[in-house]
Amino acid sequence: MVRRRNPTGVVRAAIFRAVSARLTSIESQIGVRLVTRTTRGTQLTPAGEVVAEWADQVLDVAQRVDTGLASLRSDRRSRLKVVASQTVAEQLLPRWLVSLQTAAARHGALAPEISFTATESKEAIAAVREGEAELGFIETRGVLHGLRSRVVGRDELIVVVPPDHTWVRRSAPITVAELRQTPLVSRKSGWQLLLGADEPVDADQPAPAAHPLELASAAAVRAAVLAGAGPAVMSRLAVSDDLSHGRLRAVPIADLDLRRDLRAIWMGTQNPPAGAARDLLHHIATTR
């Protein structure tokens, strides 16, 4: 009959040898005996008891750190603060957030709690740089020093007028010179919108005509144009429904490319921050 060794005993012996070897290595490094080894077993020395107490304290701290990090990871996955330019905040972000909640509910999960502030692109960039928001959305062109970005959509600035405006009956596009001479209704200078926030008006050209109406929101600008206040520079996304139903008309401008990328921005590595920010951007990319 062959006697088989107890597997549990073999494992215990291996663990004991590994622990013993580790203790011997530590004793050699610190020059202090931690255990007394006899034929009857191993016993901690007074110094060993002190070291064991310190080790308990270290393990307790490590456990608290691990628990805290898990809590931070959970909070980062469940909460997100976003700052977005006016066009994205008004025309795209609400639809993205509703769609994200619907997708989460479909899979029996909880969607992250996302709060967002609507502002100008310049302020959105500053908020992300200063850590006031983890994720931003902007609509301006230019180099984003110190920030990472990803295109999440595309838009175009257009000049819109009511259907009975004289420009609608023209066969040729409006020239840039004519546009400069026309007061534009806007939530800020219409000519600044056409150029972009970081591009100065050509000093050799006469100043663009000013309009007495400078309104606070895209909705107010739209209402003013519908009421006959004059042409306006607007996002195509903001007036797409008016264009499709004929309430407003887009007027072509010669030699002026007004297309623009809408970008998500964040601080840090090439990939978006893990958690709710990355989940939102992944959702946007898969539903565009």
Side-chain angles (χ1 to χ4, degrees):
M1 178 176 178
V2 178
R3 178 174 295 177
R4 297 183 179 179
R5 298 184 64 183
N6 184 347
T8 303
V10 172
V11 172
R12 286 176 178 170
I15 293 175
F16 177 80
R17 287 194 298 272
V19 172
S20 179
R22 184 59 179 159
L23 283 171
T24 300
S25 174
I26 294 173
E27 288 176 333
S28 175
Q29 291 177 24
I30 66 176
V32 176
R33 183 172 291 280
L34 300 178
V35 296
T36 300
R37 300 169 180 82
T38 68
T39 56
R40 294 189 300 274
T42 302
Q43 185 176 357
L44 288 173
T45 65
E49 291 179 353
V50 172
V51 172
E53 184 178 346
W54 291 344
D56 283 342
Q57 295 173 4
V58 170
L59 289 173
D60 183 56
V61 170
Q63 185 176 8
R64 293 203 301 271
V65 169
D66 188 57
T67 301
L69 288 173
S71 176
L72 289 174
R73 285 193 296 269
S74 176
D75 186 68
R76 187 167 187 174
R77 184 161 292 279
S78 62
R79 297 174 185 273
L80 178 65
K81 186 173 182 181
V82 172
V83 60
S85 64
Q86 298 285 348
T87 297
V88 177
E90 293 175 1
Q91 308 302 324
L92 297 173
L93 198 50
R95 174 163 54 85
W96 290 339
L97 297 185
V98 171
S99 176
L100 180 64
Q101 288 182 334
T102 302
R106 189 183 307 122
H107 293 90
L110 289 176
E113 180 183 322
I114 300 176
S115 61
F116 72 90
T117 302
T119 184
E120 302 296 335
S121 292
K122 186 175 181 180
E123 282 71 28
I125 293 171
V128 173
R129 280 206 177 109
E130 294 166 9
E132 297 174 3
E134 192 174 3
L135 191 64
F137 293 95
I138 62 171
E139 57 199 67
T140 55
R141 291 175 284 188
V143 179
L144 300 169
H145 298 289
L147 293 176
R148 302 289 187 173
S149 71
R150 174 182 298 178
V151 175
V152 294
R154 288 181 170 81
D155 189 25
E156 180 185 14
L157 290 174
I158 57 175
V159 176
V160 293
V161 296
D164 58 352
H165 195 277
T166 56
W167 284 357
V168 174
R169 297 189 293 273
R170 286 183 49 145
S171 57
I174 301 299
T175 65
V176 174
E178 287 177 293
L179 197 62
R180 291 181 67 93
Q181 298 167 8
T182 304
L184 299 174
V185 183
S186 181
R187 57 184 172 88
K188 64 179 180 178
S189 168
W191 196 251
Q192 281 183 317
L193 281 174
L194 289 171
L195 287 174
D198 300 322
E199 300 180 49
V201 175
D202 188 347
D204 294 332
Q205 297 289 336
H211 196 286
L213 288 179
E214 189 168 298
L215 304 169
S217 68
V221 172
R222 170 185 169 276
V225 176
L226 288 171
V233 179
M234 299 200 70
S235 156
R236 182 177 287 276
L237 288 172
V239 293
S240 60
D241 190 57
D242 293 303
L243 295 174
S244 63
H245 286 84
R247 291 186 292 265
L248 291 175
R249 299 288 183 86
V251 179
I253 308 299
D255 302 321
L256 197 58
D257 184 3
L258 303 177
R259 292 170 296 180
R260 57 185 182 170
D261 291 333
L262 306 177
R263 292 183 171 272
I265 58 172
W266 63 89
M267 291 286 290
T269 60
Q270 185 69 37
N271 291 321
R278 189 176 299 177
D279 292 344
L280 175 59
L281 291 182
H282 175 73
H283 179 76
I284 292 170
T286 55
T287 56
R288 279 167 54 187

